[in-house]
């Protein structure tokens, strides 16, 4: 009996042991009952406080549904780094020792760079929605995942806002840490793509170590600078300190523009109500907030927030990203289990070899499923509180977008959105995702903005720097044509037409412009204008005032104002007056034109005679009579007074075309002769620029003018033919002594030169249309405002008054040569002669075919008489006799019959 009981107990113990082994094996296969996740934040910050509540809510929601992790519990352990990088590192090591599958955080990019190396080695994914440094590359840090939009997109949004409002320069103030520094580098690149730039970078100690004295020092420098557009990229404590100091310095008043990164929107969302002094210091600022589309889940979560947080802090978008990040990890872990993997860790052989040290590094183990978990995270496709959550091939969240917020007296108002898909808009980005992207400037819109100082008009964005520096305006120190611009000998005073235009425009500017003129040139010869313009592009001078031609290669390096005077190149050559003579009537046409016209009179007369003489009695008679008829008919058509009537259709057609040609020739001759007899004529072998190009004679140009380069590079004239001339006296001497055939110069100079030198004249038409303007550095706002002032001068007549003061001359006008009537040559009429010639040829061909047909259809009697004498001469005489024979025209025959009947009666 005892043996039986012993055997029964043994079987029972064996069954219990077997069951225990089975349960243990299943548990080992399924993994632990708790999934450990770590979180490293500074929980005294706004985002730290919000993230703590949101992550706890996500943990509770996940654990309340056993189906998510198969009955396991998710445990999110929190570690407060308290702004300390050292404590962040210690917290990460502690998590690595406790079989943690993933870490949320760290909060700062500084620690993200450090901890990512640890995560790479131990295969523990790091997920952060606040360390958004553009420099955290997934290639270098494969186990680091950003679960909120990368700061790269925030910087693109700011650059597009700057470009949208038309500002060319900005000043940036930023905390000198990895995230903010790399964000500014990205902003610089994106501004450069839009032809904008950062003019000054003010660095502050990393948040929250910046002191009031640090901020005051930098803002005092900025106050003395030109740009008034300031971008503030930092965190909340430093950011609010900057605005507090700026308010005390008067930098939150009219004229300033402040754009803050997303830190300010977190303050607005999570700190309510703001202190009155804080609200006053940030009024008129533009800021960004990560955009999260509206949804029922989001609204439900917002309604729970006060209960979750006990009213301690307001919800901002980073709280939503924190909630979604926890769910992202939970879904990835669930998928890991579904894929048949377990949560297991193995020792790192490299760390075991260091057991002799006191650091207990052997406690750090490698997460065996870390790579698969990371893959599951990256391939996440879910809809969270922040909307669709999915990563693209660059491991950025798809469709990054921001709300654009304007702080006002009553709080803040939304003025638009920015998305990587459609740029700036006033409609939610999610409504545009189904449409084709359109980033053109005409499609970018924002609502009205209230700027610092309560202004609703967009600030200009710059002022003249309040540092006592005047604009350095360079003026060419000319030695010729000093009416345009000149330096008074022995003084620093400048005067002239161009200077008066500039001074008049300055008076119309909407703001004061401090400046001083700086002469450019040695005073012995005109300076090089290409060198002068290059000095502006190099930053040596702030602008140039003078007779500066606007040419293509100069516009590539500087900006010009609206032109204030037209200026094109013209040719000046010696001329002599042509006096009237008995043969003036022949001057309208060239000799070749006269000869061709006379020949065509004879040709047309002969053709009409050929077409008419067989059927028209007026073209018949003795050879002498017919020859006289041809001559009289031909030349009488010049006056439309020919008495011979044409009967044949071909003859009438040729005559109609010829009379049209005669009408054009008569009209042209009359107009040209009238001009010759009423306008003083000036003669020169130089007819214009084409004459100079085709010749090999030397050509003069003004020293420093763009004419030299234009003649050589654009027109292909060898430089050996180009002669430098320094003054009007040099022009006159070179032209009189035939040292140059002509001078090529700009029209305003030539008008002054010809005002008292009537022995020279402009030949041909003005070519190479140009104009003069004032030059400023690229993207200088002065160029735009000065152009507006020049247009106002033109409209109110002041520009013409200045012109009349300096440039009006009455002694000798160059305009007389403009009315010169050139001789009409064959080139002007060859088309008419060609038409007439073709008409004559076609008429003769048709006539010949008709004659051949009639000749081949002669009567049998005529054929018999021809066949009796088959010699060539006989046949030729017969043919000519047929051609010359008289044929009765039906109309003339009928007329003669009627006349005969009348006479019989």
């Amino acid at each position: 009996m005892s043996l039986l009981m012993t055997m029964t107990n043994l079987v029972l113990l064996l069954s219990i042991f077997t069951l225990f082994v089975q349960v243990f094996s299943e548990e080992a296969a399924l993994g632990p009952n708790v999934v450990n996740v770590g979180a490293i934040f500074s929980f005294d910050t706004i985002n730290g406080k919000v993230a703590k509540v949101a992550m706890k809510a996500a943990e509770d929601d996940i654990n309340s549904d056993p189906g998510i992790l198969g009955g396991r519990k998710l445990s999110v352990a929190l570690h407060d780094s308290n702004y300390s990088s050292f404590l962040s590192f210690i917290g990460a090591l502690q998590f690595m020792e406790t079989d943690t599958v993933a870490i949320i955080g760290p909060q700062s990019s500084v620690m993200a760079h450090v901890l990512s190396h640890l995560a790479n080695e131990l295969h523990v994914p790091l997920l952060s929605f606040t360390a958004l440094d553009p420099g955290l590359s997934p290639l270098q840090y494969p186990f680091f995942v950003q679960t909120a939009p990368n700061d790269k997109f925030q910087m693109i949004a700011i650059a597009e806002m700057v470009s949208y409002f038309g500002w060319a320069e900005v000043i940036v103030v930023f905390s000198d840490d990895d995230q903010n520094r790399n964000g500014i580098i990205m902003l610089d690149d994106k501004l450069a793509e839009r032809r904008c730039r950062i003019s000054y970078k003010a660095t502050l100690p990393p948040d929250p170590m910046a002191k009031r004295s640090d901020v005051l020092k930098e803002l005092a420098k900025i106050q003395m600078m030109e740009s008034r557009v300031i971008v503030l990229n930092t965190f909340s404590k430093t950011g609010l300190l900057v605005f507090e100091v700026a308010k005390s310095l008067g930098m939150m008043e009219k004229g300033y523009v402040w754009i803050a990164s997303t830190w300010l929107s977190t303050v607005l969302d999570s700190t309510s109500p703001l202190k009155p002094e804080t609200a006053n210091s940030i009024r008129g600022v533009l800021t960004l907030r990560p955009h999260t589309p509206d949804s029922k889940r989001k609204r439900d979560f917002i309604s729970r927030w006060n209960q979750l947080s006990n009213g301690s802090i307001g919800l901002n978008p980073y709280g939503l990203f924190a909630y979604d990040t926890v769910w992202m990890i939970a879904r990835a872990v669930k998928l890991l289990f579904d894929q048949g993997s377990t949560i297991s860790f193995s020792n790192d052989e490299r760390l075991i070899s260091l057991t002799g040290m006191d650091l207990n590094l052997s406690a750090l183990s490698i997460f065996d499923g870390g790579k698969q978990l990371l893959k599951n995270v990256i391939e996440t496709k879910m809809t969270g509180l922040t909307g669709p959550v999915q990563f693209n091939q660059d491991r950025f969240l798809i469709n990054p977008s921001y709300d654009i917020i304007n702080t006002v007296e009553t709080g803040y108002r939304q003025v638009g959105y920015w998305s990587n898909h459609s740029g700036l808009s006033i409609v939610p980005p999610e409504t545009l995702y189904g449409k084709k992207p359109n980033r053109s400037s005409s499609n970018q819109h924002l609502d009205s903005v209230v700027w610092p100082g309560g202004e609703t008009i967009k600030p200009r964005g710059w002022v003249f720097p309040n540092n006592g520096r005047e604009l350095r305006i360079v003026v060419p120190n000319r030695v010729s044509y000093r009416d345009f611009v000149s330096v008074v000998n022995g003084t620093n005073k400048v005067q002239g037409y161009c200077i008066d235009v500039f001074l008049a425009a300055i008076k119309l500017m909407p703001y004061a412009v401090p400046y001083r003129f700086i002469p450019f040139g040695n005073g012995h010869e005109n300076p090089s204008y290409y060198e002068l313009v290059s000095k502006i592009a190099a930053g040596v001078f702030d602008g140039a005032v003078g007779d500066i031609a606007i040419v293509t290669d100069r516009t590539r390096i500087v900006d010009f104002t609206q032109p204030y005077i037209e200026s094109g190149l013209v040719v000046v050559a010696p001329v002599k007056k042509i006096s009237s003579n008995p043969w003036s009537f022949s001057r309208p046409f060239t000799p070749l034109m006269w000869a061709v016209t006379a020949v065509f009179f004879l040709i047309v007369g002969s053709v009409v005679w050929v077409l008419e003489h067989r059927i028209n009695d007026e073209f018949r008679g003795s050879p002498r009579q017919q020859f006289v008829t041809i001559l009289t008919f031909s030349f009488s058509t010049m006056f439309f007074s020919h008495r011979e009537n044409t009967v044949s259709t071909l003859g009438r057609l040729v005559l109609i075309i010829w009379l049209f040609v005669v009408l054009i020739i008569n009209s042209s001759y009359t107009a040209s002769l009238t001009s010759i007899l009423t306008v003083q004529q000036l003669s020169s072998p130089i007819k214009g620029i084409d004459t100079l190009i085709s010749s090999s004679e030397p050509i003069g140009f003004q020293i420093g003018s763009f004419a030299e380069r234009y003649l050589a590079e654009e027109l292909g004239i060898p430089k050996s033919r180009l002669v430098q001339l320094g003054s009007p006296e040099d022009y006159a001497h070179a032209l009189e002594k035939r040292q140059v055939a002509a001078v090529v110069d700009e029209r305003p100079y030539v008008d002054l030169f010809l005002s008292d030198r009537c022995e020279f004249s402009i030949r041909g038409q003005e070519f190479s249309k140009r104009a003069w303007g004032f030059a400023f550095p690229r993207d200088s706002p002065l160029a735009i405002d000065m152009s507006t002032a020049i247009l106002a001068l033109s409209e109110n007549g002041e520009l013409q008054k200045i012109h009349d003061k300096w440039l009006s001359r009455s002694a000798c006008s160059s305009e007389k040569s403009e009315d010169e009537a050139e001789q009409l040559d064959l080139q002007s009429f060859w088309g008419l002669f060609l038409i007439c010639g073709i008409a004559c040829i076609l008429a003769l061909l048709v006539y010949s075919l008709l004659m051949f047909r009639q000749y081949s259809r002669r009567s049998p009697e005529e054929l018999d008489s021809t066949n009796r004498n088959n010699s060539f001469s006989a046949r030729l005489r017969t043919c000519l006799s047929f051609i010359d024979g008289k044929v009765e025209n039906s109309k003339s025959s009928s007329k003669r019959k009627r006349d005969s009947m009348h006479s019989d009666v």
Side-chain angles (χ1 to χ4, degrees):
M1 186 65 155
S2 62
L3 179 61
L4 181 60
M5 291 181 61
T6 302
M7 291 295 293
T8 303
N9 291 334
L10 184 62
V11 171
L12 181 61
L13 289 173
L14 184 61
S15 300
I16 294 172
F17 177 76
T18 303
L19 181 62
F20 175 77
V21 170
Q22 183 178 356
V23 171
F24 180 81
S25 299
E26 290 179 357
E27 184 175 319
L30 294 174
N33 290 326
V34 177
V35 177
N36 294 317
V37 175
I40 303 174
F41 281 87
S42 294
F43 292 115
D44 189 39
T45 63
I46 292 176
N47 285 340
K49 293 176 182 178
V50 171
K52 182 177 181 179
V53 176
M55 289 187 293
K56 178 61 177 174
E59 178 186 5
D60 293 342
D61 291 346
I62 292 169
N63 291 333
S64 65
D65 185 354
I68 296 176
L69 293 177
R72 299 172 185 83
K73 295 296 183 180
L74 180 71
S75 174
V76 180
L78 305 178
H79 177 82
D80 189 357
S81 63
N82 195 27
Y83 298 102
S84 171
S85 298
F86 176 73
L87 292 179
S88 296
F89 187 74
I90 295 299
L93 290 176
Q94 290 175 344
F95 288 141
M96 300 295 185
E97 292 177 354
T98 56
D99 295 344
T100 299
V101 299
I103 296 176
I104 302 174
Q107 186 169 347
S108 71
S109 294
V110 176
M111 283 312 301
H113 283 275
V114 176
L115 298 184
S116 292
H117 291 288
L118 187 62
N120 291 347
E121 295 298 326
L122 300 180
H123 297 176
V124 177
L126 290 176
L127 290 80
S128 179
F129 49 86
T130 54
L132 305 174
D133 180 4
L136 286 165
S137 166
L139 297 177
Q140 184 179 7
Y141 307 110
F143 277 83
F144 181 79
V145 181
Q146 294 173 332
T147 58
N150 185 285
D151 273 355
K152 166 187 175 180
F153 302 104
Q154 181 178 195
M155 296 303 129
I156 296 175
I158 292 175
E160 291 198 4
M161 289 166 61
V162 171
S163 177
Y164 170 79
F165 288 112
W167 299 312
E169 293 185 358
V170 302
I171 292 172
V172 294
V173 181
F174 64 99
S175 295
D176 194 13
D177 56 53
D178 287 351
Q179 180 162 337
N180 291 297
R181 187 189 314 111
N182 290 336
I184 294 303
I185 293 173
M186 180 63 67
L187 176 62
D188 201 2
D189 293 340
K190 298 306 176 182
L191 286 172
E193 292 175 5
R194 294 158 178 80
R195 288 188 63 183
C196 306
R197 70 185 187 95
I198 295 175
S199 59
Y200 180 72
K201 297 177 181 179
T203 58
L204 299 174
D207 187 80
M209 294 186 293
K211 300 177 182 178
R212 184 180 181 88
S213 58
D214 299 323
V215 176
L216 186 60
K217 178 182 177 182
E218 290 298 331
L219 292 188
K221 292 179 185 177
I222 294 172
Q223 217 175 7
M224 305 294 287
M225 296 177 183
E226 180 178 307
S227 178
R228 284 293 183 262
V229 182
I230 305 170
V231 176
L232 180 57
N233 191 35
T234 181
F235 298 112
S236 57
K237 290 197 174 182
T238 300
L240 293 177
L241 177 61
V242 169
F243 281 126
E244 178 187 333
V245 176
K247 178 70 174 178
S248 67
L249 293 176
M251 297 176 67
M252 299 303 298
E253 301 300 326
K254 177 181 176 182
Y256 281 90
V257 175
W258 287 85
I259 302 176
S261 52
T262 54
W263 67 266
L264 181 56
S265 66
T266 64
V267 173
L268 296 173
D269 288 332
S270 298
T271 308
S272 180
L274 290 173
K275 295 178 182 179
E277 56 271 20
T278 301
N280 287 334
S281 67
I282 63 174
R283 193 172 300 165
V285 177
L286 286 175
T287 186
L288 299 172
R289 174 174 60 194
H291 175 72
T292 55
D294 186 36
S295 66
K296 184 177 185 303
R297 286 191 63 195
K298 177 182 172 181
R299 292 194 297 270
D300 291 343
F301 186 78
I302 292 173
S303 65
R304 293 170 52 197
W305 183 257
N306 282 336
Q307 180 182 354
L308 294 172
S309 64
N310 295 320
S312 61
I313 193 165
L315 176 64
N316 66 52
Y318 292 102
L320 304 179
F321 284 113
Y323 184 90
D324 283 352
T325 301
V326 177
W327 271 94
M328 201 180 300
I329 295 173
R331 287 174 177 270
V333 171
K334 179 180 185 301
L335 182 58
L336 183 70
F337 291 144
D338 293 343
Q339 292 166 341
S341 298
T342 61
I343 296 178
S344 62
F345 295 82
S346 58
N347 294 326
D348 190 337
E349 297 295 333
R350 294 170 296 178
L351 297 178
I352 294 175
S353 63
L354 301 175
T355 53
M357 303 175 67
D358 296 333
L359 296 177
N360 194 26
L361 296 177
S362 60
L364 301 177
S365 54
I366 298 174
F367 178 24
D368 296 328
K371 289 185 178 180
Q372 185 60 45
L373 181 63
L374 174 67
K375 184 174 183 293
N376 294 344
V377 169
I378 295 172
E379 293 177 353
T380 295
K381 290 184 180 179
M382 71 177 198
T383 300
L385 299 183
T386 59
V389 179
Q390 184 180 343
F391 295 93
N392 61 20
Q393 59 184 3
D394 297 321
R395 285 178 45 173
F396 294 135
L397 286 175
I398 62 171
N399 300 326
S401 55
Y402 294 90
D403 301 333
I404 301 176
I405 294 173
N406 179 206
T407 57
V408 293
E409 186 174 1
T410 56
Y412 66 86
R413 54 189 287 267
Q414 189 163 326
V415 296
Y417 305 88
W418 178 90
S419 76
N420 197 44
H421 175 81
S422 54
L424 301 173
S425 67
I426 55 176
V427 296
E430 55 270 19
T431 64
L432 302 174
Y433 291 148
K435 301 178 180 178
K436 185 178 179 180
N438 186 354
R439 303 295 287 270
S440 63
S441 57
S442 61
N443 202 49
Q444 305 295 289
H445 302 287
L446 290 176
D447 284 333
S448 60
V449 176
V450 177
W451 305 99
E455 286 290 311
T456 55
I457 300 174
K458 184 199 76 173
R460 190 169 66 244
W462 66 278
V463 295
F464 284 98
N466 188 23
N467 56 11
R469 189 178 74 82
E470 299 173 320
L471 287 180
R472 298 159 298 177
I473 303 298
V474 62
V475 295
N477 187 7
R478 297 191 58 87
V479 296
S480 63
Y481 297 113
R482 294 170 62 85
D483 294 292
F484 292 105
V485 57
S486 63
V487 178
V488 179
N489 293 332
T491 68
N492 291 325
K493 181 181 178 182
V494 293
Q495 61 183 15
Y497 167 73
C498 302
I499 301 300
D500 280 7
V501 172
F502 176 76
L503 296 177
I506 284 291
K507 293 178 181 177
L508 297 180
M509 298 284 277
Y511 45 83
V513 182
Y515 64 89
R516 62 188 175 94
F517 292 122
I518 302 175
F520 180 79
N522 56 22
H524 302 296
E525 64 179 13
N526 293 332
S528 167
Y529 282 65
Y530 284 97
E531 183 180 349
L532 184 149
V533 171
S534 298
K535 295 285 187 183
I536 299 173
V540 178
F541 302 114
D542 300 314
V545 171
D547 46 343
I548 306 170
I550 304 173
V551 295
T552 304
D553 52 355
R554 294 177 186 173
T555 59
R556 295 191 182 104
I557 58 175
V558 297
D559 283 347
F560 282 93
T561 63
Q562 173 80 13
Y564 59 88
I565 187 172
E566 297 297 323
S567 172
L569 292 178
V570 292
V571 177
V572 179
V575 292
K576 60 180 181 179
K577 295 180 181 179
I578 302 177
S579 57
S580 299
N581 61 69
W583 299 99
S584 295
F585 69 89
S586 66
R587 282 167 50 194
F589 290 161
T590 61
L592 179 60
M593 178 65 183
W594 279 117
V596 171
T597 304
V599 169
F600 261 84
F601 272 111
L602 296 176
I603 290 174
V604 171
S606 300
V607 170
V608 172
W609 175 81
V610 169
L611 299 175
E612 293 286 330
H613 84 284
R614 296 190 75 229
I615 60 176
N616 192 339
D617 292 336
E618 295 181 355
F619 286 87
R620 298 190 63 82
S622 64
R624 179 176 177 276
Q625 289 177 329
Q626 294 186 53
F627 179 74
V628 171
T629 298
I630 291 173
L631 292 179
T632 56
F633 176 81
S634 299
F635 290 101
S636 61
T637 56
M638 181 185 299
F639 311 104
F640 306 96
S641 59
H642 50 285
R643 62 183 182 84
E644 294 84 3
N645 294 317
T646 52
V647 176
S648 68
T649 302
L650 292 175
R652 290 175 177 175
L653 178 63
V654 170
L655 184 60
I656 289 173
I657 294 175
W658 174 243
L659 290 177
F660 174 73
V661 173
V662 170
L663 175 66
I664 300 300
I665 292 175
N666 276 343
S667 302
S668 303
Y669 176 86
T670 302
S672 181
L673 182 61
T674 301
S675 175
I676 289 173
L677 296 179
T678 57
V679 178
Q680 181 185 20
Q681 295 300 295
L682 304 175
S683 174
S684 171
I686 305 298
K687 304 301 181 183
I689 189 63
D690 293 334
T691 307
L692 292 179
I693 294 174
S694 59
S695 71
S696 58
E697 296 185 88
I699 304 171
F701 69 90
Q702 183 182 174
I703 295 175
S705 170
F706 77 95
E708 177 186 15
R709 184 174 296 187
Y710 184 85
L711 293 172
E713 296 179 2
E714 300 294 333
L715 301 183
I717 298 175
K719 287 190 176 182
S720 58
R721 291 180 55 195
L722 304 179
V723 180
Q724 290 187 347
L725 301 173
S727 65
E729 291 73 21
D730 292 342
Y731 287 15
H733 183 268
L735 290 170
E736 290 171 351
K737 299 299 182 181
R738 301 296 298 169
Q739 295 173 354
V740 295
V743 172
V744 174
D745 205 351
E746 296 176 70
R747 185 60 183 261
Y749 301 128
V750 171
D751 286 341
L752 278 183
F753 173 72
L754 296 178
S755 63
D756 55 0
R757 292 179 176 86
C758 300
E759 66 273 24
F760 307 108
S761 175
I762 295 175
R763 308 302 296 168
Q765 299 297 317
E766 182 177 303
F767 63 99
S768 177
K769 294 289 185 180
R770 293 290 188 272
W772 291 353
F774 304 138
F776 293 95
R778 290 298 297 271
D779 301 316
S780 170
L782 263 179
I784 299 174
D785 293 340
M786 186 65 73
S787 295
T788 304
I790 291 173
L791 285 174
L793 290 177
S794 177
E795 293 172 356
N796 62 24
E798 187 65 25
L799 197 60
Q800 185 61 43
K801 293 178 182 178
I802 298 173
H803 181 278
D804 295 341
K805 172 186 173 182
W806 287 98
L807 305 181
S808 291
R809 297 291 187 272
S810 58
C812 185
S813 175
S814 65
E815 293 297 328
K816 293 181 180 178
S817 64
E818 294 292 330
D819 297 328
E820 177 184 343
E822 299 288 347
Q823 284 186 307
L824 301 174
D825 55 14
L826 181 61
Q827 186 176 1
S828 303
F829 299 94
W830 73 268
L832 291 173
F833 287 127
L834 178 63
I835 294 172
C836 185
I838 291 174
C840 291
I841 292 172
L842 292 176
L844 289 176
L845 286 175
V846 174
Y847 179 76
S848 299
L849 291 174
L850 293 175
M851 287 296 298
F852 177 77
R853 181 182 178 191
Q854 293 176 10
Y855 184 73
S856 62
R857 294 182 178 182
R858 289 174 296 163
S859 63
E861 295 80 3
E862 292 175 328
L863 290 174
D864 290 342
S865 62
T866 302
N867 293 333
R868 286 195 293 267
N869 192 347
N870 290 325
S871 65
F872 174 77
S873 60
R875 290 198 301 270
L876 180 61
R877 285 194 300 273
T878 302
C879 180
L880 293 176
S881 175
F882 177 80
I883 293 173
D884 189 52
K886 178 71 170 66
V887 177
E888 284 293 332
N889 181 273
S890 59
K891 292 183 179 180
S892 59
S893 176
S894 300
K895 181 180 178 182
R896 281 196 295 270
K897 287 181 180 180
R898 287 196 300 270
D899 293 342
S900 175
M901 291 175 62
H902 287 306
S903 62
D904 291 343
V905 174

